[in-house]
Amino acid sequence: MMLMNNINLFLFAVFSGGEAAHAVKRFTGLYTGPYFDPTTTTNITTQLGTHAYLPCKVKQLGNKSVSWIRKRDAHILTVDRYTFIADDRFQAFLVESTDTWTLQVKYVQARDAGQYECQVSTEPKMSHFITLNVVVPKIEILGESDIFVKMGSAVQLKCVITQSLEEPAYIFWYHDGERVLKYDKNAIDIKLDQEGPDTTVSTLIIFHTNPEDSGNYTCSPSNLDSASVLLHVLNGEHPAAMQRGKNSASPIPGWSHLSIGLGLAACTSPRFAVTIALTLAIISEVLAC
């Protein structure tokens, strides 16, 4: 009987000690309520068109709520798992293993850049701010917006994407709205090269151009804006003649005769010089008709 009592006392002491230790750990530490994990980031950088994830690590949250607020317009985006904005790109979820409330922003737009507040419903309120930076890649097709080549010659169209945090999933080329496919390797080819950590180059090669190859060519990467050029395949024409418009410089009728008249003004009376110049100009126009 005495042995059994001693065992019971021992078990009571162990469990009581465990509970006491647990109580000390919970209530007498540096933080007695919710607090933000000091390792939580304050800056997130993402690329236009991708998904952004803004983490907010809250320890010892208890029964308090976590809200996400967009600072530029003070709009409440989410409260716990509930979304309070019509834009369904925004959503909050909890990763319980890390006590992290994460705000997800799908298909990030340039206007999403700015500061976001993670707020805990304590009294007074607790806030942690995260700045979302949106990188907008640049895309261009090298050269002029109008490209002129002789029929039968080869042409290379180079589409260069820079300031990109990740390589595009694909880059498609379109000719007058129809996707360019390299079925015939002897006629056309498309190459993709990674030049440096943030530069991707797609090259469209037409080996032997013909008039049907003329038109609009568009380089269209995944989740990015596109770039276009106009290709002109010449069959004996001169590029300068094709580019001349209504505003092109042209000789003024009778200008040479007016110049003669102005020259005479240096050695005769102005009225006589002007009369001669006008007479020569009229005669020239009549003969031209």
Side-chain angles (χ1 to χ4, degrees):
M1 177 67 89
M2 184 177 295
L3 178 62
M4 183 64 67
N5 289 337
N6 289 336
I7 293 175
N8 289 337
L9 289 172
F10 175 77
L11 293 175
F12 176 79
V14 169
F15 284 109
S16 298
E19 290 175 0
H22 181 64
V24 169
K25 184 178 180 181
R26 285 187 59 190
F27 300 113
T28 63
L30 180 61
Y31 300 100
T32 58
Y35 68 95
F36 295 110
D37 188 323
T39 64
T40 302
T41 184
T42 58
N43 271 283
I44 294 291
T45 300
T46 191
Q47 183 173 301
L48 183 76
T50 61
H51 295 355
Y53 298 91
L54 281 60
C56 182
K57 294 184 179 181
V58 186
K59 301 293 187 179
Q60 298 179 184
L61 182 61
N63 62 353
K64 303 301 182 183
S65 294
V66 175
S67 303
W68 278 99
I69 302 168
R70 186 168 56 197
K71 189 176 180 183
R72 65 176 168 86
D73 56 4
H75 199 303
I76 298 176
L77 303 174
T78 64
V79 177
D80 293 337
R81 290 184 173 87
Y82 298 97
T83 303
F84 287 84
I85 187 172
D87 191 341
D88 60 5
R89 296 182 304 118
F90 293 90
Q91 178 186 2
F93 57 88
L94 171 64
V95 180
E96 294 186 8
S97 60
T98 59
D99 298 319
T100 303
W101 279 95
T102 299
L103 177 67
Q104 180 187 52
V105 187
K106 297 180 180 179
Y107 309 109
V108 171
Q109 303 171 6
R111 61 186 177 90
D112 293 327
Q115 219 172 31
Y116 292 81
E117 176 185 357
C118 174
Q119 186 184 93
V120 179
S121 62
T122 53
E123 193 57 48
K125 300 290 190 296
M126 297 170 51
S127 296
H128 175 77
F129 294 92
I130 296 182
T131 300
L132 176 61
N133 307 290
V134 179
V135 174
V136 182
K138 294 182 179 180
I139 177 172
E140 65 171 338
I141 297 178
L142 299 182
E144 302 294 329
S145 58
D146 284 86
I147 300 175
F148 298 87
V149 298
K150 291 183 179 180
M151 186 176 67
S153 61
V155 63
Q156 291 189 14
L157 303 179
K158 282 197 171 185
C159 178
V160 181
I161 301 168
T162 56
Q163 299 181 12
S164 179
L165 298 180
E166 58 185 54
E167 184 178 353
Y170 60 82
I171 301 177
F172 291 155
W173 283 92
Y174 294 90
H175 176 212
D176 289 339
E178 293 188 8
R179 186 179 166 191
V180 178
L181 300 172
K182 49 180 183 179
Y183 288 134
D184 187 353
K185 282 282 189 178
N186 295 321
I188 197 169
D189 193 16
I190 299 176
K191 295 181 179 179
L192 186 65
D193 299 297
Q194 190 72 24
E195 298 183 1
D198 65 348
T199 302
T200 304
V201 180
S202 177
T203 306
L204 171 63
I205 306 171
I206 305 174
F207 294 106
H208 304 284
T209 55
N210 57 66
E212 288 74 23
D213 294 321
S214 295
N216 178 284
Y217 284 84
T218 300
C219 169
S220 183
S222 60
N223 296 330
L224 293 178
D225 291 334
S226 58
S228 298
V229 295
L230 282 173
L231 177 66
H232 305 271
V233 180
L234 308 180
N235 186 12
E237 307 99 323
H238 193 279
M242 295 183 66
Q243 296 183 72
R244 177 175 294 173
K246 294 181 180 179
N247 295 326
S248 298
S250 59
I252 300 175
W255 175 254
S256 58
H257 305 100
L258 289 174
S259 299
I260 294 173
L262 292 174
L264 290 173
C267 54
T268 62
S269 67
R271 180 177 297 179
F272 179 72
V274 170
T275 301
I276 293 176
L278 291 175
T279 301
L280 290 174
I282 294 171
I283 293 173
S284 176
E285 288 297 315
V286 170
L287 294 174
C289 295

